[in-house]
Amino acid sequence: MATVVQSSREVSKMADKGANLSEEEQTFLKEIREEREHLSREIQELRVQIADIDNELSALEEVKNEDEKQERFIQQKWKTGRARFNAKPKDGIKYLIEEGLLKETSDAIAEFLHKEDMLNMIAVGEYLGENHELNIEVLKKLVGLHKLEGLSLVQALREFLSSFHLPGEGQKIDRIMEHFAQGYCASNPTIFSNSDTCYVLAYAVIMLNTSLHNPSVKNKPTLESFIAMNRGIDNGNNLPADLLTAFFDDIRKEQFKIPGMGNLAETFFNPEKEGWLTKEGGKYKTKHRRWFILKDNILYYFKQPSDSELTGSIPLDNLSVRDVSECVFEIFAKDGVIKAWKKDSEGKVVKGDSLHYQNH
């Protein structure tokens, strides 16, 4: 934090002096100012919560009945725990466990996140997206607490994603959607042949919602293109056209009003890096020039910068990069294949099975 503060001060001084900032410095300055405003709002909220707690503690001292005092004391601890969770989820959970109010089990924590209506939805999403064993187990249990049996995939997504703010990082979104797909298939075992189908289609549904209802997307997808892009995703078989048509019509008529849904659109309209690369697959040595964008440690690629539909994506977690020659680098997995997806020559969405990719 000290480095960031120092850097922001230096950039602010440059701005105050009227210096000509580079585009990168201007972006950095804007991000720092937005972060400062966000932190100021959070600090103000915490001050209000602390003042409330102080007032209630003062009132507690005046209570004479011991049973009533104990009950109010416990309620005050719950309030403190919720406030700490909303400020920093990990610390809030730790406090509630140490105070004996919450068991250190995935079942108890999932139940707390599911039923407690005073929690900040952003904080819940951030906690669920963390890549730690306990967080992942809590995520699995939380999916199970939602009654998904008998719901269509679109209905289930609306139900599940309305309970928290979808985090902004691509890897966290990916993790949450993967476990949602597993839970949905466990509750509805006859709809898809495996959870990978559900995972790919769930992503397709969310991106369809973004494309149909985001004003920045000018070329709106059609029913025909939606069906085509999902051809063969059910273990090589096509999903029923009437099923995909029902999903398309549902989303076209009613937008997903989901907390954090804007993060998916921001991924494509505010990338960290973007530009042309020539991609060479690991299994078939064909080369294709694609427009790549980098966001939240995921590489997304399109045929053209103006395209609204993805051609594929490559999550970079647990992958390595090495130079092959001048202007050529290779992305590879040390263990197993790269977890990626792409559209094949017929427009079908398929899982990647490459051990490496070369980019020129």
Side-chain angles (χ1 to χ4, degrees):
M1 180 61 73
T3 302
V4 173
V5 171
Q6 181 63 32
S7 299
S8 67
R9 286 174 179 167
E10 290 176 356
V11 176
S12 296
K13 286 179 182 178
M14 294 175 66
D16 292 338
K17 292 178 181 178
N20 293 323
L21 300 180
S22 67
E23 184 177 345
E24 182 177 354
E25 288 171 332
Q26 290 174 356
T27 301
F28 178 67
L29 180 58
K30 181 182 177 182
E31 290 174 351
I32 289 294
R33 284 174 172 165
E34 289 175 349
E35 180 67 17
R36 183 173 60 189
E37 291 175 2
H38 174 70
L39 290 174
S40 295
R41 289 193 299 270
E42 287 194 340
I43 290 170
Q44 185 60 34
E45 290 175 2
L46 288 173
R47 283 174 177 166
V48 172
Q49 291 175 359
I50 291 170
D52 289 342
I53 291 171
D54 287 340
N55 291 334
E56 293 187 13
L57 286 174
S58 297
L60 185 61
E61 293 175 356
E62 299 175 3
V63 177
K64 303 302 181 182
N65 184 287
E66 288 301 322
D67 290 339
E68 183 182 352
K69 181 181 287 189
Q70 182 63 22
E71 177 63 25
R72 291 180 66 172
F73 185 62
I74 292 173
Q75 292 302 318
Q76 189 56 53
K77 284 187 175 181
W78 273 110
K79 189 170 184 177
T80 301
R82 290 192 294 265
R84 290 195 178 192
F85 180 90
N86 290 339
K88 194 172 183 180
K90 182 179 178 182
D91 289 353
I93 296 295
K94 181 181 179 182
Y95 171 84
L96 291 171
I97 291 172
E98 290 177 347
E99 292 296 327
L101 300 175
L102 191 64
K103 292 182 180 179
E104 194 174 5
T105 66
S106 55
D107 288 287
I109 298 173
E111 191 81 17
F112 168 69
L113 298 181
H114 186 57
K115 291 188 173 181
E116 180 55 64
D117 58 3
M118 298 296 289
L119 298 180
N120 183 296
M121 297 179 76
I122 296 176
V124 175
E126 287 299 320
Y127 183 85
L128 294 175
E130 291 295 334
N131 191 23
H132 302 297
E133 183 177 352
L134 179 60
N135 299 69
I136 292 173
E137 286 303 313
V138 170
L139 172 59
K140 291 178 182 178
K141 295 298 173 61
L142 185 68
V143 172
L145 291 175
H146 288 271
K147 305 302 181 184
L148 305 180
E149 185 177 359
L151 298 182
S152 73
L153 179 61
V154 174
Q155 291 172 329
L157 281 169
R158 292 187 191 276
E159 157 71 19
F160 178 62
L161 295 178
S162 65
S163 61
F164 59 90
H165 191 295
L166 203 64
E169 296 181 28
Q171 294 292 347
K172 291 183 178 181
I173 296 173
D174 181 79
R175 195 154 37 246
I176 289 171
M177 295 310 300
E178 182 177 2
H179 290 293
F180 163 80
Q182 293 171 3
Y184 180 81
C185 288
S187 298
N188 301 277
T190 61
I191 296 180
F192 304 115
S193 62
N194 55 64
S195 63
D196 285 342
T197 302
C198 181
Y199 166 81
V200 172
L201 185 57
Y203 247 119
V205 165
I206 290 176
M207 295 314 303
L208 174 66
N209 178 78
T210 301
S211 299
L212 284 177
H213 297 287
N214 191 295
S216 300
V217 178
K218 296 181 179 179
N219 298 321
K220 303 296 185 183
T222 63
L223 171 61
E224 291 72 23
S225 66
F226 180 67
I227 292 176
M229 75 171 290
N230 290 293
R231 192 176 295 128
I233 66 171
D234 193 27
N235 202 26
N237 298 315
N238 294 335
L239 293 170
D242 57 350
L243 178 69
L244 297 177
T245 300
F247 290 170
F248 185 91
D249 289 342
D250 188 340
I251 295 166
R252 182 175 57 184
K253 292 176 182 176
E254 183 181 358
Q255 180 182 4
F256 267 45
K257 295 182 180 179
I258 298 172
M261 186 58 72
N263 293 323
L264 292 173
E266 290 168 8
T267 293
F268 301 122
F269 300 115
N270 297 288
E272 296 163 13
K273 299 285 184 182
E274 60 183 332
W276 289 104
L277 287 172
T278 300
K279 182 180 75 71
E280 178 181 311
K283 188 174 182 180
Y284 301 104
K285 301 301 181 181
T286 53
K287 295 181 179 180
H288 299 284
R289 191 169 183 258
R290 296 289 183 253
W291 181 260
F292 277 80
I293 68 172
L294 173 66
K295 182 74 172 182
D296 297 326
N297 213 32
I298 298 180
L299 277 174
Y300 302 91
Y301 54 97
F302 304 77
K303 289 185 178 180
Q304 297 292 332
S306 58
D307 287 352
S308 61
E309 293 186 8
L310 274 172
T311 300
S313 70
I314 307 171
L316 299 178
D317 269 3
N318 303 317
L319 299 183
S320 300
V321 179
R322 59 192 171 205
D323 291 330
V324 176
S325 61
E326 187 176 0
C327 298
V328 179
F329 65 91
E330 183 175 75
I331 302 169
F332 66 98
K334 293 181 179 179
D335 301 309
V337 300
I338 296 175
K339 179 185 175 183
W341 71 268
K342 63 180 180 178
K343 289 183 184 177
D344 65 10
S345 58
E346 298 179 358
K348 297 185 295 185
V349 176
V350 296
K351 290 181 64 178
D353 58 357
S354 298
L355 296 174
H356 62 271
Y357 292 93
Q358 285 192 8
N359 294 280
H360 307 252

